Amino acid sequence: MSTTESLAAALADGPVVLDGGMSNQLAAAGHDLSDELWSARLLADEPEAVTAAHRAYFEAGADVAITASYQATFEGFARRGVGRERAAELLALSVERARTAAGGAPGARRPRWVAASVGPYGAMLADGSEYRGRYGLSVAELERFHRPRLEVLASAAPDVLALETIPDTDEAEALLRAVRGLGVPAWLSYSAAGGRTRAGQPLEDAFALAARADEVIAVGVNCCTPQDADHAVAVAARVTGKPVVVYPNSGERWDARARAWTGEPTFSASRVTGWRDAGARLIGGCCRVGPDTITSIARTLRGS
């Protein structure tokens, strides 16, 4: 079931459940994500797999699907020999596949929305710099990088643009400029650690950039530890007065050298009530958070 109710209006009524990690759901289904395009490769090669992953999260209780366009860029596709016209088609397809899943997943008694994922510049580089930021580019250069794919995604009519895993304030400023005039609302979500962006700026300063941006309907963090999310939610609510978006990782840590996750999960559904009470209205999970956890989140927030 799709909806004509805006996501912004729904946030005024209470919490909305996001989905979990696209990559872990695809990997669990047996798909190889070692390519530089990550999950975006499947938009071209196996689009039905993307639909199935979205459907699994809707069936688990999610209200919002985040598209497989995080690592989908004109530049990244070009390195694989994909021309600009075809790349634009694949970007639009990411929204279409999520919309199809929203309508095709059984058991919908609540509205469902589609969030078009816009990852940071570093995601295109596929070298880990998305977790550092500070690429040596100006705000204007970053705006020029992001605007063309934002235009394509916006023209595919998602309900919201998910500006996610943003590591520093320069890129946030560029994205806030780039979404102006597109006619689609956005949320802005930083990757954070220790009360700062990944690039080291205080979260207070980072969140403040979005406080007066009319296009932004929620501000917060994703792809961080649940512990870092505990602190960030309260700061985002206090600084911006906007609804907060929060979807951390499982709490495990990625060992880039071993190419493996280490440690124990620290994400539990019991944490979400604290986030909700602190101002979170869009709540879900990122890497290593799967459908079972989304079901627990939905039950916790909805009281059943």
Side-chain angles (χ1 to χ4, degrees):
M1 179 177 69
S2 60
T3 180
T4 57
E5 180 186 18
S6 74
L7 181 57
L11 297 182
D13 294 333
V16 171
V17 179
L18 299 176
D19 60 8
M22 169 63 72
S23 61
N24 48 267
Q25 184 60 19
L26 290 170
H31 300 285
D32 180 10
L33 301 181
S34 59
D35 191 278
E36 285 188 357
L37 288 174
W38 202 29
S39 57
R41 176 187 66 81
L42 296 177
L43 291 170
D45 297 348
E46 298 180 75
E48 280 298 332
V50 175
T51 307
H54 288 311
R55 188 178 295 121
Y57 281 118
F58 279 129
E59 291 174 356
D63 302 315
V64 181
I66 301 173
T67 64
S69 53
Y70 173 83
Q71 208 144 332
T73 63
F74 289 111
E75 294 80 0
F77 281 127
R79 288 201 299 265
R80 295 289 304 276
V82 178
R84 199 167 185 85
E85 182 176 350
R86 177 58 175 158
E89 291 174 354
L90 293 173
L91 282 163
L93 181 63
S94 72
V95 176
E96 176 189 318
R97 286 290 162 173
R99 190 73 72 190
T100 297
R109 290 186 293 273
R110 293 169 57 88
R112 288 171 172 170
W113 295 272
V114 171
S117 173
V118 180
Y121 177 84
M124 179 273 294
L125 299 176
D127 62 358
S129 60
E130 64 195 286
Y131 296 109
R132 300 188 299 271
R134 320 310 291 170
Y135 317 110
L137 300 178
S138 68
V139 171
E141 288 170 324
L142 288 168
E143 181 183 359
R144 285 195 294 272
F145 166 78
H146 283 295
R147 177 73 185 200
R149 67 169 171 155
L150 279 165
E151 290 174 345
V152 171
L153 288 169
S155 68
D159 299 292
V160 64
L161 297 164
L163 316 177
E164 58 176 355
T165 326
I166 307 306
D168 67 48
T169 54
D170 284 353
E171 190 154 27
E173 184 177 349
L175 282 162
L176 291 173
R177 291 184 187 180
V179 298
R180 290 173 186 162
L182 292 178
V184 179
W187 78 58
L188 174 62
S189 180
Y190 290 93
S191 178
R196 293 178 175 271
T197 68
R198 291 284 187 165
Q201 301 108 346
L203 284 179
E204 288 85 351
D205 297 342
F207 292 140
L209 290 175
R212 290 184 296 276
D214 292 338
E215 297 84 358
V216 175
I217 61 172
V219 183
V221 291
N222 75 290
C223 210
C224 60
T225 68
Q227 294 90 331
D228 284 321
D230 292 343
H231 168 74
V233 169
V235 175
R238 172 173 55 81
V239 170
T240 69
K242 294 178 181 283
V244 176
V245 55
V246 57
Y247 49 119
N249 295 334
S250 67
E252 298 163 272
R253 295 188 180 276
W254 176 251
D255 184 332
R257 179 173 297 179
R259 296 194 62 78
W261 290 91
T262 63
E264 295 296 323
T266 58
F267 192 135
S268 67
S270 61
R271 304 185 86 108
V272 306
T273 55
W275 298 336
R276 178 198 61 200
D277 294 346
R281 293 296 177 267
L282 281 161
I283 303 174
C286 201
C287 300
R288 306 281 285 182
V289 177
D292 288 347
T293 303
I294 297 305
T295 295
S296 296
I297 291 171
R299 288 174 175 168
T300 299
L301 293 175
R302 295 168 190 159
S304 63

